[in-house]
Amino acid sequence: MKSQRIAVFISFVAGIVFVLVTAAPAAQFSLVSVEQEIEIGQQVDAQVRKEVPELRDAQVSEYVRSIGRRLVRQAPGPKYAYSFSVADYREMNAFALPGGPVWLHRGVLHAATNESQVAGVLAHEVAHIAQRHAADQLTKAMMANLGLGLLGAVLGNGGGASAAQMAAAFLTNGIFLKFSRDDEREADAVGLQLMRRAGWDGRGMVELFEILQREARRNPTSVEVFFSSHPSPQDRIARLQSDVGRGAGGTRDTPQFQAIKARLQKMSPPRAMPRN
Ligand SMILES: [Zn+2]
């Protein structure tokens, strides 16, 4: 009897929270605090570092970080400690972890033909973080299918343990691969603003999507990961093109980018992502 009542109460509370989640705009309601988000991101990043080979080249790393820093200065939202790392993978992809870490696959640097294209990819990822999309996804996942155990951990005892639980849930559910279509659209739009304010030509973002489309026809496996985690470039190109049209301008390329490309060509080729 008692447990029944508790169960009813719990589902009542869950019901209220669910109503709050569905009624409020995603950005305004979150079960994950900024501090928890940063902690989750650090734990997930530590795990990623165990599995993903980082390209350890001081010049390439510093170049990518310098683009990242310029974008971050324009980013809205909490002051996250953003970091930028290059994965030594040939497939084109990039991803953002909660609260700061951004990873760029080396394949993007090989495929891009000018700097603004790389800035566009990084701007999209910075926008995911700045708009707290991971916190939104985690909140939704907790409400939808991770059960009340995790919800209790979040609402109850705060601090390290719950962040660890969320980090584990984040990894096992591949949440960072599953931003919603709306989140992707927002990351494109906000990312475009970021890159322009930071001084790059917004056309770079559209051009990178065009490169992805060409690659998809030429060598589908090289863009498979990207397409498993992102909507098709077709819609995105159409939508962005009208935004970009209203004011092209800004930096398209730099000698530094071409020097980095030449440097990468001289290194041993990037690895293929392990397939599972
Ligand atoms: Zn995205």
Side-chain angles (χ1 to χ4, degrees), residues 124-125 128 179 184 187 230 236:
H124 174 96
E125 302 305 329
H128 274 310
F179 289 128
E184 291 301 341
H230 292 86
R236 300 169 78 184

Side-chain angles (χ1 to χ4, degrees), residues 168-192:
F170 192 82
L171 280 168
T172 52
N173 288 276
I175 289 169
F176 70 92
L177 296 176
K178 287 181 198 154
F179 289 128
S180 69
R181 252 158 209 282
D182 285 347
D183 286 350
E184 291 301 341
R185 223 167 274 152
E186 189 176 60
D188 283 348
V190 172
L192 180 63

Side-chain angles (χ1 to χ4, degrees), residues 229-245:
S229 55
H230 292 86
S232 101
Q234 195 93 52
D235 321 345
R236 300 169 78 184
I237 289 172
R239 213 174 26 250
L240 280 169
Q241 238 151 12
S242 60
D243 292 349
V244 170

Side-chain angles (χ1 to χ4, degrees), residues 97-262:
L97 302 179
V102 173
W103 283 81
L104 178 73
H105 282 202
R106 183 176 160 188
V108 173
L109 296 169
H110 283 264
T113 56
N114 68 49
E115 183 173 287
S116 68
Q117 296 163 4
V118 179
V121 176
L122 293 176
H124 174 96
E125 302 305 329
V126 167
H128 274 310
I129 294 171
Q131 302 297 119
R132 307 199 65 211
H133 289 161
D136 295 346
Q137 291 304 307
L138 269 168
T139 297
K140 277 187 212 144
M142 278 189 269
M143 302 314 302
N145 56 36
L146 295 181
L148 292 166
L150 200 48
L151 181 60
V154 177
L155 297 178
N157 54 25
S162 63
Q165 273 173 293
M166 284 190 278
F170 192 82
L171 280 168
T172 52
N173 288 276
I175 289 169
F176 70 92
L177 296 176
K178 287 181 198 154
F179 289 128
S180 69
R181 252 158 209 282
D182 285 347
D183 286 350
E184 291 301 341
R185 223 167 274 152
E186 189 176 60
D188 283 348
V190 172
L192 180 63
Q193 285 174 10
L194 287 183
M195 72 181 291
R196 280 175 148 174
R197 274 194 250 134
W200 281 286
D201 189 327
R203 282 177 293 178
M205 195 180 262
V206 174
E207 288 166 8
L208 196 97
F209 289 141
E210 287 165 350
I211 292 173
L212 275 161
Q213 276 186 318
R214 280 201 297 275
E215 279 296 303
R217 285 191 287 269
R218 218 169 55 99
N219 179 11
T221 56
S222 71
V223 291
E224 210 169 69
V225 204
F226 180 90
F227 285 109
S228 70
S229 55
H230 292 86
S232 101
Q234 195 93 52
D235 321 345
R236 300 169 78 184
I237 289 172
R239 213 174 26 250
L240 280 169
Q241 238 151 12
S242 60
D243 292 349
V244 170
R246 284 185 244 122
T251 305
R252 285 184 58 69
D253 201 13
T254 61
Q256 288 88 334
F257 175 72
Q258 296 303 331
I260 288 295
K261 272 187 80 86

